[in-house]
Amino acid sequence: MKALQFILTVAVLLSALFFVIPSDIFIIDLIQSFALQAMLGYAFIAFILIVWKQRRLSIPFVSAALIILVYLLPYINLNSTREYEIEGNSFRVAHYNVLGSNILYEQTVTQALATNADLLSFQEVDSTWMEQL
C-alpha cells in the first residue's frame, strides 16, 4: 500500500509540474493553457478524498493544486481596471493573432485597417503574412 501511495504521490506531483514548467512545444503549451482547470480538478479530488477520510491520499492533490495556484497568481488581476487619459488624448491599439494557417489575408488586413487604430500589432506572422502586410 505504501508503494502505491508513493507512486500516486510522484505521479500527481509530476503531472502538476507539467502545467508550470515553461515549454516551447506547441502541444504542451496548449495543454498548459488548462492549468486553471487542472488546479480545480486537483482541489476537487482532494476535497473528495478528505470527505472519504483519506487525508493521507489527499496530500499530493492539495500540493498539486497549490503548486499550480502559485504559478497562476501573477495572472490573476486582483485590482480593478484603471483607465488613463492624458490631456484628453486617446491611443488605440489593435492586436491580431493571425495564426500561420490563416489564409484570409485580404479580409484580415482590411479589418485591421478599418479599426483606425494608432498601432496595429500582428502575432504569429510567417513569411507569407509578411508579404501580405
Side-chain angles (χ1 to χ4, degrees), residues 8 15-17 44-50 56 62 65 70 73 84 94 100 104 106 109 111 118 120 128-129 131:
L8 175 72
S15 68
L17 289 176
F44 179 74
I45 292 169
F47 175 75
I48 296 297
L49 289 170
I50 290 169
R56 187 173 283 191
V62 169
V70 169
L73 278 177
Y84 297 98
L104 302 173
E106 187 176 330
V109 171
Q111 182 183 11
D118 298 307
L120 291 173
T128 308
W129 268 103
E131 291 173 16

Side-chain angles (χ1 to χ4, degrees), residues 105-129:
Y105 306 112
E106 187 176 330
Q107 180 182 352
T108 304
V109 171
T110 302
Q111 182 183 11
L113 292 173
T115 64
N116 292 321
D118 298 307
L119 175 68
L120 291 173
S121 169
F122 295 90
Q123 181 177 328
E124 294 193 38
V125 174
D126 60 10
S127 58
T128 308
W129 268 103

Side-chain angles (χ1 to χ4, degrees), residues 24-52:
D24 289 334
I25 300 170
F26 174 73
I27 193 71
I28 294 175
D29 192 38
L30 181 66
I31 293 169
Q32 287 177 339
S33 65
F34 293 98
L36 176 65
Q37 291 84 350
M39 181 198 68
L40 294 173
Y42 289 128
F44 179 74
I45 292 169
F47 175 75
I48 296 297
L49 289 170
I50 290 169
V51 168
W52 286 345

Side-chain angles (χ1 to χ4, degrees), residues 57-112:
L57 285 177
S58 71
I59 292 172
F61 291 98
V62 169
S63 301
L66 289 174
I67 287 169
I68 297 175
L69 177 63
V70 169
Y71 166 75
L72 291 176
L73 278 177
Y75 300 104
I76 299 172
N77 184 6
L78 300 176
N79 298 327
S80 62
T81 304
R82 297 182 190 144
E83 293 186 19
Y84 297 98
E85 188 173 314
I86 301 172
E87 298 175 12
N89 295 326
S90 63
F91 186 78
R92 293 177 41 144
V93 177
H95 178 76
Y96 288 84
N97 184 339
V98 294
L99 187 62
S101 61
N102 180 4
I103 59 171
L104 302 173
Y105 306 112
E106 187 176 330
Q107 180 182 352
T108 304
V109 171
T110 302
Q111 182 183 11

